[in-house]
Amino acid sequence: MGAVAELAGVTRRAVYLHFASRAELVAELFDYVSDAEGLAESTRAVWASPDAVAALEEWAAHLARFHPRVLPMTRAAERLHRSDPDAAAHRERYLREQLAACRRLADWLDREGRLAPGWTAETAADMLFALISTDLLERLLGERRWSGSRLARHLTLLLRSTFVAEDAR
């Protein structure tokens, strides 16, 4: 908290007047960045889709649209979670939220009878969750220099060909 106060040009006491703990500061910072980068708007397009397949396609667009913008913050939480309980708590929160969204999407595909053979809603949710990996995004966007639109296009192709039953494609 001292480093935060110093960087902000205020006293440590001033920081504690606004945030009771580092955990609260980390959570508020992530919420602020998520709001500023449009998380609600980005996911709204997923859940407003007319059917599960369209939602899956919009999910790919959401991942390519939103996650690269918060990659530095996500990477910091990934780096610190083993040694910092506040970063670990924050990481657990956003992982829970991501998994819940993946379960919602997989359940939707299953309810509509569009989930590809070999998948259950649970295994599809787990795989969708794994595909949000920070490493995957960094490798494609950073190391392979993919554009956001290329990432969206190929994620859509991957998700449709993997999770959507052939007759629903």
Side-chain angles (χ1 to χ4, degrees), residues 53 56 106 109-121 123-124 158-169:
V53 174
L56 187 68
L109 284 164
D110 192 38
R111 266 192 324 276
E112 289 186 358
R114 294 179 168 199
L115 191 59
W119 293 101
T120 64
T123 59
L158 173 69
L159 297 181
R160 279 186 65 99
S161 63
T162 303
F163 297 109
V164 178
E166 190 132 342
D167 59 333
R169 288 185 202 156

Side-chain angles (χ1 to χ4, degrees), residues 14 20 52 55 65 106 135 157:
R65 174 174 57 234
D135 287 340
L157 177 62

Side-chain angles (χ1 to χ4, degrees), residues 59-144:
W59 180 253
H62 157 68
L63 294 177
R65 174 174 57 234
F66 176 76
H67 286 270
R69 297 196 308 242
V70 296
L71 208 49
M73 187 155 193
T74 304
R75 178 48 72 200
E78 292 293 320
R79 202 172 37 251
L80 295 172
H81 82 274
R82 286 183 180 85
S83 61
D84 185 320
D86 297 322
H90 162 69
R91 181 177 179 269
E92 282 303 311
R93 177 183 151 210
Y94 77 72
L95 291 178
R96 259 192 323 275
E97 290 170 0
Q98 287 176 343
L99 183 56
C102 293
R103 282 188 178 139
R104 183 176 174 188
L105 191 52
D107 285 342
W108 193 357
L109 284 164
D110 192 38
R111 266 192 324 276
E112 289 186 358
R114 294 179 168 199
L115 191 59
W119 293 101
T120 64
E122 183 179 350
T123 59
D126 286 348
M127 187 60 73
L128 286 165
F129 176 68
L131 291 171
I132 305 173
S133 165
T134 302
D135 287 340
L136 179 136
L137 295 171
E138 284 183 333
R139 285 182 179 175
L140 293 175
L141 295 168
E143 293 174 25
R144 302 302 306 151

